[in-house]
Amino acid sequence: MTKKYQIEIPKAALEQTDFQPGDHLALSVNHKQIDVRSARVIDQLPQIVFWWYALPAAVVTLIFYAFFRQRNAVHPIPLTGSDYSLANGAMFLGVISGLVLFITTFIVEKVKKTGPTKDFYWRSLPPLAIACGLIMVFSFSAFFWLLGQMFANASFDLYTTTVFAFVIFAAVNYVMINLAMTLTSGVVTNLLTIMIIGGMLFSMLTNSSRDWWKHNFSFLGTAENSASLQFNVTLIFSGLLMLTLVDYLFVNLQKRYRGWHVLTLRWLLYMLSACIASIGLFPNDPQFHILHDRVSMWLVYIMLILIVLVRWLLPEVTRQFLILSYVMGALMGLEYIIFKLSNYLSLTAFELLEFGLAFSWLLLLLQNIENLARFGHNLFLVKITPVEDKTK
């Protein structure tokens, strides 16, 4: 007789879901893993009411319209290239509107204890909000720069510009509400990656000296570079965002894994986050040159300590990750030797290569910790039992 299989769900596991006895669930198989979720597709998506993002967008659009109506009632409004353009108006008001809705949604979700936001601490909100704000600024700048290249010298009348502004505000509001309702450690890791890489690229593209690469990587943060503020602020809040991520991950990780090794790994990552922020806080200007170099060296030392000790510090570390760690550590050491003993690598090339390897390894480490934190305290042992199919 044909058999079916059943899995008994522990009560503690069921209490962490919104499922009720008798519910119809959907089962899918993905990469040899079973995923069980609500059978209704709508239940799997954030429930965002239209008015939540459209009404604030309408309010901000009225402010946009009133401002430009007062400033410029007759002449067309340029798309980009002016202090009073669609780009600057949409960026300024869009960032404010998006941040207000992100913070409001985060607070509501946290108070109601619904969604993944409930697992974050209140102290995580400021760095998360600032990081989102900076990423929005980078995104707006890149978006309107591209439009400016495609539609050079384009301009529109007040009413057309206002419609464009409303669409932009509504889209930004929706994205920020959705982000706050789906915030997880993986999302924060992506924010960290976008913020660091996007901030550096933005500084490279907007700096006043096209020959910055002939100096060194730290030149982007010095007073000689017109975009130094963006570069330094990116580093400062990247460090704070990483601190938030480490804080979130290890609180969950230490529910299952305890001991000196986990605590040591946590504090090393705290120190690494502080070094990243300090490099932006103390740029390579004459008054901070010595401190900047010292902090940079501490950053390198901590990375090397992590790579060497990861075998003992990271719980259930895999052989593949260990091999990859030692290979990347060896490549970083080899680059340092080549840089010191020859003229093959310039200082900027050496710093960019070292940064690329170190940041890639750090993301892999955080990914491993995230997997342990996600499956560690939510892991329940179950057994698959065959049962007779009475329908046959």
Side-chain angles (χ1 to χ4, degrees), residues 165-361:
F166 173 78
V167 173
I168 293 171
F169 296 147
V172 170
N173 290 347
Y174 180 87
V175 170
M176 297 309 292
I177 293 174
N178 185 79
L179 179 63
M181 295 179 71
T182 58
L183 197 62
T184 62
S185 56
V187 173
V188 178
T189 303
N190 292 335
L191 288 177
L192 178 64
T193 305
I194 294 170
M195 187 170 177
I196 291 180
I197 296 178
M200 288 192 304
L201 289 177
F202 184 77
S203 299
M204 292 177 188
L205 292 173
T206 59
N207 73 86
S208 57
S209 175
R210 298 302 175 189
D211 295 331
W212 66 268
W213 55 272
K214 295 181 179 179
H215 301 273
N216 52 53
F217 190 51
S218 297
F219 177 83
L220 292 173
T222 63
E224 299 179 40
N225 177 26
S226 61
S228 60
L229 180 62
Q230 296 95 310
F231 183 80
N232 293 327
V233 168
T234 296
L235 288 176
I236 292 170
F237 287 105
S238 293
L240 292 177
L241 190 60
M242 181 176 166
L243 197 68
T244 299
L245 178 60
V246 172
D247 190 37
Y248 170 79
L249 289 176
F250 275 84
V251 168
N252 292 325
L253 185 68
Q254 289 181 303
K255 292 178 181 178
R256 179 176 175 86
Y257 303 99
R258 303 178 185 274
W260 65 268
H261 54 292
V262 175
L263 190 60
T264 302
L265 179 60
R266 182 177 188 173
W267 280 100
L268 283 172
L269 289 172
Y270 278 157
M271 293 166 62
L272 194 67
S273 305
C275 287
I276 294 173
S278 297
I279 290 174
L281 191 61
F282 305 107
N284 195 23
D285 290 322
Q287 64 269 37
F288 299 124
H289 175 71
I290 296 177
L291 183 57
H292 179 89
D293 283 353
R294 294 283 175 84
V295 173
S296 299
M297 289 308 300
W298 293 340
L299 180 67
V300 174
Y301 295 150
I302 294 171
M303 285 294 303
L304 292 175
I305 291 172
L306 281 170
I307 291 175
V308 172
L309 298 183
V310 68
R311 172 190 293 270
W312 298 278
L313 298 181
L314 182 64
E316 300 185 28
V317 60
T318 62
R319 183 171 178 270
Q320 291 84 354
F321 182 66
L322 281 178
I323 294 174
L324 182 62
S325 299
Y326 295 146
V327 168
M328 296 183 80
L331 287 175
M332 292 171 66
L334 181 62
E335 287 176 6
Y336 179 78
I337 294 173
I338 294 174
F339 171 72
K340 284 295 184 180
L341 299 182
S342 70
N343 295 323
Y344 183 74
L345 291 175
S346 67
L347 177 58
T348 304
F350 166 72
E351 289 178 335
L352 287 174
L353 287 172
E354 292 288 290
F355 167 78
L357 287 171
F359 186 63
S360 299
W361 182 83

Side-chain angles (χ1 to χ4, degrees), residues 28-39:
S28 61
V29 179
N30 186 23
H31 299 295
K32 298 184 178 180
Q33 295 183 350
I34 295 176
D35 185 17
V36 178
R37 60 184 65 193
S38 173

Side-chain angles (χ1 to χ4, degrees), residues 109-146:
E109 293 284 297
K110 181 71 175 172
V111 171
K112 290 169 59 180
K113 296 183 178 179
T114 57
T117 306
K118 67 179 184 296
D119 295 326
F120 283 87
Y121 291 103
W122 287 110
R123 61 177 176 266
S124 303
L125 180 55
L128 285 172
I130 294 171
C132 289
L134 291 174
I135 290 173
M136 280 194 289
V137 171
F138 299 151
S139 302
F140 268 112
S141 300
F143 175 70
F144 280 107
W145 176 85
L146 180 61

